Amino acid sequence: MATYTKHHCWSLLLRLFHWMFALSIVFLVVTGFYINDPWTNTMIEGSAAWPMANMRYIHYLAAYVFSAAVAIRLFLYIFGNAQERILDILPVTGRNINNLFMTLMQYSYISDKHDERLGHNILAGLAYLFTFIAAIVMIISGFYMLFPEAPFWEGWGLALFGSQQFARYLHHILMWWFMIFAVIHIYLCVWNDVKEPEGLISSIFTGVKFKHKA
Amino acid sequence: MADTVNNAVEPRLDRRGFLKGCTMAAAALGLSEAMIPKMVEAAASAERPRVIWLHFQECTGCTESLLRSSHPDLARLLLDIISLDYHETVMAAAGHQAEQNLHETVDKHPFLLVVEGAIPTKDNGIYCKIAGKTAMDILKTVAPKATAIIAIGTCATFGGVQAAAPNPTGAVGVQDLVSGKPIVNIPGCPPNPVSFLGTVLHYLTFKKLPALDKLNRPLFAYGRRIHDHCERRAHFDEGRFVENFGDQGHKLGYCLYKVGCKGPETFSNCPAVRFNDVDVWPVSVGHGCVGCTEPNFWDTMTPFYERLPNVKIPATGIIDSADRVGKTVLGVTAAAVGIHAVVGIGKRLIKGKSEE
């Protein structure tokens, strides 16, 4: 019978970030699909249903939550606790490179060995970092489309995307990354929870993980 | 109104037409009524600015739309307030005489340069030659001596159809070749003549070019999205869409968003100024905007009847809509996840549960 000790892993701010990010993405994807291809048609004139106006309104509200979440994550990458800082997930130290290798071996069923560490494994950390960068592109392209005449967004939007239409195109394609990411993310969290009973899933609610007693 | 008595042939511009043209330009510029006399005075001054109009890779549609506007006063006003020293379509001179006019103005006088058409740059620009010289060479000689340059039409501003992928002649707009000169871009295919006239009159009245956006387009004409001034906008917000051309929604004048209108990503004054003095523009007659005032519109706004460009995956020949590609990738991901889970379960069944 293995014995475990309780470790505080995720700060309240990180958990807040996670759920703001996850829930806003759900709303953004659903309303985003509607905005791109409105599947309803208001047949009765004068019904004042305003489905497109409402969907866009929800999309913008969710977008502000999403932007705030990304700002929180940026803060935590720099000022967070040991597990939350960016250096913890970059394959720049021997220990981290080894963890990346071992995670790949374990995920491909080649090895059963699990590199025990408190925070993200490096593969997950890199996937989150990529998603974080994709989120920043979504924010810039989104605000460029929302405020095309504001000099700040016009300047950044034109420099990065060249035109409104290309920003829209990129915004749409990157949305698929968030859906693909969600599928893999949820699957691997469950998978890890099955493989290693360290309380991975509950840790994003409680902030606490369990580790083998040394 | 149609020009039934052929007023366009009458070379003189009457006072009424002159004032109407100036007022129209003032309205497009968003100037107050008090500015109109000043503009009229500037336009009527004896010293007419010299203009050289160069044609490169183009269809002459911009010139045609300017000269053949149903309201002939606009074109006549323009020809009256400027001294058009060189314009291949309308000049009387030909051959060496025309060339001489060009060189005399370039060498001896200050002038405004108007460029219509893209400039091919590939293979030293041999794909467009006039009088034995390439478009690149002509621009290189003329542009540095101009006081200011107006690039008219999408070809001269962003390369236009010639610059569409794969851009076989390496066509570019004026701003890609000329630096150190004030350049005003008046894109459109064709642009509204009022936007061009407004820019010229602004220059004459205030001795400077109008305020520009970051793509060097005058803000008075390109400061707003078409979508934000569209007469069908209420249908968009209310979710009333044309599903197919000719359906009931189309007959009732609903929003053209679902049949590919690019109004939400295009900047122009079309809904406000409209064309040909008969108050029409594409959306008002039931066709979506194709986004002709935007950079690379032939590449990014096509297919014209879809919302987004297709995804092209290099080396596979796959060209499909972003959503179908996305669904496929998501499906493959889900399948991979399923296979991964099955392999894990299989391995456990074979090797037995590991001890914790």
Side-chain angles (χ1 to χ4, degrees):
Chain A
M1 190 68 195
T3 47
Y4 291 88
T5 47
K6 203 170 161 181
H7 293 272
H8 180 73
C9 182
W10 306 123
S11 64
L12 184 65
L13 204 53
L14 185 118
R15 285 174 272 153
L16 189 68
F17 148 74
H18 179 271
W19 292 111
M20 282 168 74
F21 198 61
L23 292 177
S24 65
I25 286 171
V26 171
F27 280 95
L28 285 166
V29 167
V30 171
T31 55
F33 266 120
Y34 183 87
I35 293 165
N36 179 62
D37 183 17
W39 43 269
T40 65
N41 215 326
T42 310
M43 301 313 277
I44 306 162
E45 291 206 26
S47 60
W50 308 111
M52 179 57 97
N54 288 329
M55 285 290 187
R56 277 158 49 96
Y57 183 62
I58 297 167
H59 195 80
Y60 301 150
L61 281 183
Y64 279 106
V65 175
F66 181 85
S67 308
V70 169
I72 292 173
R73 193 68 187 93
L74 179 67
F75 173 83
L76 291 174
Y77 266 139
I78 304 164
F79 303 109
N81 69 26
Q83 294 80 251
E84 293 157 6
R85 292 196 183 192
I86 191 159
L87 275 179
D88 194 56
I89 54 101
L90 288 180
V92 287
T93 62
R95 177 174 162 269
N96 283 5
I97 294 166
N98 184 48
N99 174 273
L100 178 61
F101 181 70
M102 283 182 72
T103 308
L104 285 170
M105 296 296 272
Q106 195 198 1
Y107 280 4
S108 51
Y109 296 117
I110 293 168
S111 152
D112 273 338
K113 262 186 271 164
H114 176 64
D115 183 24
E116 197 146 312
R117 58 187 269 135
L118 189 56
H120 300 308
N121 71 54
I122 303 304
L123 187 65
L126 289 177
Y128 303 157
L129 185 63
F130 179 79
T131 306
F132 176 77
I133 293 163
I136 289 174
V137 177
M138 290 304 258
I139 290 170
I140 298 173
S141 56
F143 277 109
Y144 174 46
M145 288 189 281
L146 184 56
F147 302 119
E149 289 138 33
F152 178 82
W153 296 114
E154 191 197 351
W156 276 103
L158 274 178
L160 290 172
F161 312 116
S163 68
Q164 285 272 310
Q165 175 73 346
F166 194 75
R168 189 170 303 253
Y169 179 60
L170 204 65
H171 199 78
H172 190 83
I173 287 184
L174 269 182
M175 170 200 66
W176 283 97
W177 165 254
F178 286 87
M179 285 191 279
I180 291 160
F181 169 80
V183 169
I184 300 172
H185 177 64
I186 294 168
Y187 170 71
L188 281 177
C189 286
V190 174
W191 188 89
N192 269 286
D193 221 31
V194 171
K195 285 275 181 187
E196 298 293 328
E198 57 182 16
L200 182 75
I201 289 179
S202 67
S203 75
I204 203 60
F205 296 96
T206 62
V208 167
K209 276 189 182 180
F210 295 89
K211 292 287 161 194
H212 283 285
K213 203 164 187 175
Chain B
M1 290 299 286
D3 184 12
T4 46
V5 286
N6 218 2
N7 275 325
V9 180
E10 164 65 49
R12 280 169 306 162
L13 175 68
D14 58 15
R15 178 163 176 79
R16 184 180 158 77
F18 178 72
L19 292 177
K20 257 169 86 178
C22 285
T23 309
M24 202 186 281
L29 282 163
L31 295 175
S32 94
E33 209 183 338
M35 282 310 297
I36 296 172
K38 211 176 162 192
M39 187 174 261
V40 169
E41 193 187 323
S45 81
E47 208 173 314
R48 298 183 303 163
R50 290 168 182 272
V51 172
I52 289 177
W53 190 304
L54 296 176
H55 295 253
F56 297 134
Q57 281 184 317
E58 43 91 337
C59 66
T60 318
C62 299
T63 291
E64 288 287 335
S65 74
L66 184 72
L67 297 179
R68 290 183 193 273
S69 56
S70 69
H71 206 312
D73 287 349
L74 209 62
R76 275 193 284 163
L77 171 65
L78 193 67
L79 295 175
D80 233 43
I81 60 175
I82 61 173
S83 160
L84 198 53
D85 288 8
Y86 184 86
H87 185 301
E88 280 144 23
T89 313
V90 297
M91 63 188 172
H96 292 293
Q97 204 183 5
E99 281 294 297
Q100 200 194 331
N101 285 351
L102 174 65
H103 294 302
E104 192 160 304
T105 305
V106 169
D107 294 336
K108 295 182 187 157
H109 303 283
F111 61 93
L112 269 176
L113 174 63
V114 180
V115 180
E116 185 180 343
I119 303 104
T121 57
K122 210 170 170 185
D123 303 325
N124 293 321
I126 57 167
Y127 301 106
C128 178
K129 280 186 162 184
I130 298 148
K133 286 198 292 182
T134 64
M136 270 170 95
D137 282 340
I138 297 171
L139 192 67
K140 211 179 280 172
T141 340
V142 177
K145 296 188 175 162
T147 26
I149 302 172
I150 299 175
I152 188 168
T154 300
C155 300
T157 53
F158 308 124
V161 69
Q162 294 78 221
N167 194 355
T169 64
V172 296
V174 175
Q175 62 185 2
D176 298 313
L177 292 176
V178 178
S179 55
K181 286 280 161 195
I183 298 177
V184 184
N185 284 334
I186 304 185
C189 197
N192 198 317
V194 172
S195 304
F196 178 72
L197 180 68
T199 305
V200 173
L201 274 176
H202 188 285
Y203 183 73
L204 287 181
T205 312
F206 302 107
K207 309 290 175 228
K208 63 174 185 183
L209 294 167
L212 306 175
D213 72 0
K214 291 203 163 63
L215 290 169
N216 290 334
R217 302 178 292 194
L219 280 171
F220 76 83
Y222 301 91
R224 283 288 157 90
R225 267 191 296 208
I226 282 182
H227 194 52
D228 296 340
H229 274 178
C230 180
E231 67 247 37
R232 297 187 188 222
R233 177 58 187 266
H235 293 300
F236 172 81
D237 289 332
E238 175 60 303
R240 291 194 287 256
F241 298 102
V242 175
E243 300 282 348
N244 289 298
F245 286 108
D247 70 3
Q248 190 60 19
H250 197 213
K251 285 174 191 157
L252 291 168
Y254 288 174
C255 175
L256 297 156
Y257 186 79
K258 286 177 89 169
V259 285
C261 178
K262 303 300 188 300
E265 42 266 7
T266 306
F267 291 80
S268 184
N269 54 1
C270 306
V273 176
R274 302 176 179 235
F275 285 83
N276 300 340
D277 311 304
V278 286
D279 270 356
V280 293
W281 65 297
V283 170
S284 77
V285 294
H287 189 282
C289 165
V290 297
C292 71
T293 62
E294 293 298 307
N296 308 321
F297 90 95
W298 289 101
D299 293 328
T300 60
M301 300 294 183
T302 48
F304 286 142
Y305 303 105
E306 304 284 338
R307 283 234 52 72
L308 292 168
N310 284 327
V311 176
K312 295 188 185 75
I313 301 170
T316 59
I318 295 173
I319 300 174
D320 213 338
S321 81
D323 277 342
R324 262 197 297 267
V325 172
K327 274 178 203 157
T328 310
V329 177
L330 189 66
V332 169
T333 310
V337 160
I339 291 166
H340 191 267
V342 168
V343 170
I345 293 164
K347 196 183 162 199
R348 178 174 291 193
L349 287 175
I350 294 161
K351 289 182 72 176
K353 201 176 179 193
S354 62
E355 283 301 313
E356 261 305 324

